[in-house]
């Protein structure tokens, strides 16, 4: 959430205070205009924000995820699918990792699936399916299972 917004360089702009217009000259005795009793608001300059490239942003997020506590390999729960339509196995690591990474669980699951797909080519049906709040569904390829027997 907020940490990623800071990485993206998004910063709230301060609202400028409106200056009050000078009051018209008084019709009583004179043509001098009186200075406004309101002090004019000083505008503070906005601090420039460095914008990161997408690669730099992803590297920072990856480093933060790698250092995230209390996430551990034990949190990378991969188990048999609860229903056959979900495939052979399910990974729910995204749901425990998402909060530490500051990501939506489905977005976290998408990133996990994207990282796993090159390693699972020829083993699982690709692309991996993201289901529900952040499950990654894994289904073995038929030819892989035949070759493994």
């Amino acid at each position: 959430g907020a940490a990623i917004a800071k990485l993206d360089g998004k910063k709230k702009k301060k609202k400028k205070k409106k200056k009050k217009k000078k009051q018209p000259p008084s019709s009583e005795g004179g043509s001098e205009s009186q200075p406004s009793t309101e002090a004019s608001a000083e505008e503070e300059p906005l601090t420039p924000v460095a914008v990161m490239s997408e690669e730099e942003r992803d590297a920072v997020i990856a480093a933060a995820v790698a250092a995230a506590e209390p996430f551990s390999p034990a949190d990378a729960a991969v188990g048999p699918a609860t229903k056959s339509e979900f495939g052979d196995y399910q990974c729910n690591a995204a749901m425990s990792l998402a909060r530490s990474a500051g990501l939506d669980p489905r977005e976290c699951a998408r990133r996990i699936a994207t990282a796993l797909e090159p390693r699972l080519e020829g083993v699982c049906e690709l692309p991996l399916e993201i289901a529900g709040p952040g499950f990654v569904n894994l289904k073995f390829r038929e030819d892989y299972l035949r070759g493994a027997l």
Side-chain angles (χ1 to χ4, degrees), residues 2-3 8 11 20 26 33-34 40 44 50 65 82 93 146:
D8 288 337
K11 185 173 180 178
K20 293 207 173 195
S26 173
S33 65
Q34 297 177 357
S40 63
E44 292 182 32
V65 168
T82 56
R146 273 194 296 271

Side-chain angles (χ1 to χ4, degrees), residues 57-58 61 103 106-116:
R57 178 182 177 272
D58 288 344
I61 291 172
L103 297 170
R106 283 189 64 88
E107 171 62 17
C108 190
R110 185 191 65 75
R111 289 183 183 203
I112 290 170
T114 300
L116 286 175

